[in-house]
């Protein structure tokens, strides 16, 4: 499958380069289009009409049409505050400081149409099972498998009751930030020894024992 364009190169064993929010939105949209069909997935409204440029406030034009609206939002979570730091040698005198952390994103889906609930269940099971060759995980997006059952409700729209199903899923995205921070090694440490007889200054250099 080539519906998701290549992402930034892998950055080692701890994570990947940070993706922009637009890259994430485009990635999820393409993923859902491959599952539900290209015409069955749209970004969450309102959107500008491609022909007129005007914002269309209506969620859809055909109430009998099966449509999935998707949006990706950053989510606050305690895991966001945790950061791992490691060092990679650059030579005898310096090392590169590498930070890794986890970002959390919320995928919100709203389904309309006569098959809205069935489509929501289809997406839910696909996400839980890691289907589509697990393409999202290969790109650093890991599903939190606690996905609630789709919420089925009826929405009053222009004096008509429409079937609507809502589904939300949370993803963890491991990110590695490297290359911007360099730290130097400690070459020598002066130690002052204070005694009753005399005061001496001893310098311990790298590789020496005190």
């Amino acid at each position: 499958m080539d519906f998701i364009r290549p992402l930034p190169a892998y950055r080692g064993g701890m994570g990947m380069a940070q993706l922009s929010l637009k890259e994430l939105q485009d990635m999820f949209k393409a993923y859902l289009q491959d599952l539900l069909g290209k015409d069955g997935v749209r970004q969450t409204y309102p959107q500008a009409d491609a022909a007129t440029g005007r914002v269309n406030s209506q969620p859809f034009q055909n109430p009998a049409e099966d449509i999935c609206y998707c949006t990706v939002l950053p989510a606050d979570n305690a895991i966001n505050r945790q950061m791992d730091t490691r060092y990679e040698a650059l030579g005898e005198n310096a090392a590169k400081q590498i930070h890794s952390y986890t970002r959390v994103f919320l995928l919100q889906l709203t389904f309309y149409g006569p098959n809205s609930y069935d489509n929501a269940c289809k997406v839910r099971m696909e996400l839980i099972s890691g289907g589509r060759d697990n393409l999202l995980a290969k790109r650093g997006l890991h599903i939190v498998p606690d996905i609630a059952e789709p919420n089925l409700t009826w929405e009053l729209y222009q004096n008509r009751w429409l079937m609507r199903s809502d589904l939300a899923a949370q993803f963890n995205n491991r990110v590695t930030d490297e290359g911007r921070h360099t730290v130097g090694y400690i070459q020598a440490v002066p130690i002052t020894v204070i005694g009753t007889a005399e005061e001496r200054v001893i310098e311990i250099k790298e590789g020496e024992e005190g």
Side-chain angles (χ1 to χ4, degrees):
M1 300 180 191
D2 58 358
F3 61 89
I4 298 180
R5 64 183 179 83
L7 300 181
Y10 186 68
R11 300 294 189 182
M14 298 188 68
M16 294 182 126
Q18 180 167 316
L19 301 174
S20 68
L21 186 58
K22 185 180 186 307
E23 286 177 317
L24 289 168
Q25 291 171 338
D26 291 343
M27 185 188 309
F28 278 109
K29 182 180 179 182
Y31 180 89
L32 293 166
Q33 285 178 332
D34 185 71
L35 181 60
L36 300 174
K38 184 175 181 181
D39 297 331
V41 181
R42 301 173 188 170
Q43 298 285 0
T44 299
Y45 52 86
Q47 297 181 82
D49 183 86
T52 65
R54 297 177 180 177
V55 174
N56 177 16
S57 61
Q58 298 181 354
F60 41 73
Q61 299 296 327
N62 182 6
E65 185 180 19
D66 286 316
I67 289 293
C68 170
Y69 288 95
C70 65
T71 188
V72 180
L73 300 171
D76 187 38
N77 191 286
I79 198 173
N80 290 352
R81 293 125 171 97
Q82 302 175 20
M83 182 172 292
D84 296 327
T85 302
R86 62 187 176 94
Y87 298 89
E88 186 176 286
L90 294 176
E92 295 183 357
N93 301 323
K96 179 168 61 175
Q97 189 179 59
I98 302 173
H99 299 298
S100 297
Y101 58 96
T102 299
R103 300 191 301 170
V104 181
F105 291 95
L106 181 65
L107 174 66
Q108 292 183 331
L109 305 176
T110 300
F111 299 81
Y112 288 99
N115 299 305
S116 65
Y117 180 77
D118 295 331
N119 286 336
C121 290
K122 180 179 181 180
V123 172
R124 177 176 180 265
M125 292 308 301
E126 190 74 20
L127 292 174
I128 292 176
S129 64
R132 323 311 290 175
D133 295 328
N134 212 16
L135 288 171
L136 294 176
K138 290 179 180 179
R139 286 153 178 81
L141 295 167
H142 301 278
I143 185 74
V144 178
D146 184 17
I147 306 178
E149 186 76 9
N151 180 40
L152 175 62
T153 186
W154 292 89
E155 181 176 314
L156 183 61
Y157 176 72
Q158 294 185 348
N159 297 321
R160 298 183 62 177
W161 287 101
L162 305 177
M163 181 181 291
R164 167 179 171 171
S165 298
D166 297 308
L167 179 68
Q170 186 170 288
F171 288 82
N172 291 336
N173 176 219
R174 188 70 169 174
V175 175
T176 296
D177 177 22
E178 61 177 277
R180 295 189 300 171
H181 309 284
T182 301
V183 295
Y185 292 142
I186 297 176
Q187 302 297 319
V189 179
I191 300 176
T192 300
V193 179
I194 301 177
T196 56
E198 60 179 344
E199 178 177 319
R200 293 180 301 160
V201 177
I202 302 175
E203 185 176 73
I204 298 179
K205 297 183 178 180
E206 183 180 5
E208 296 180 348
E209 296 183 359

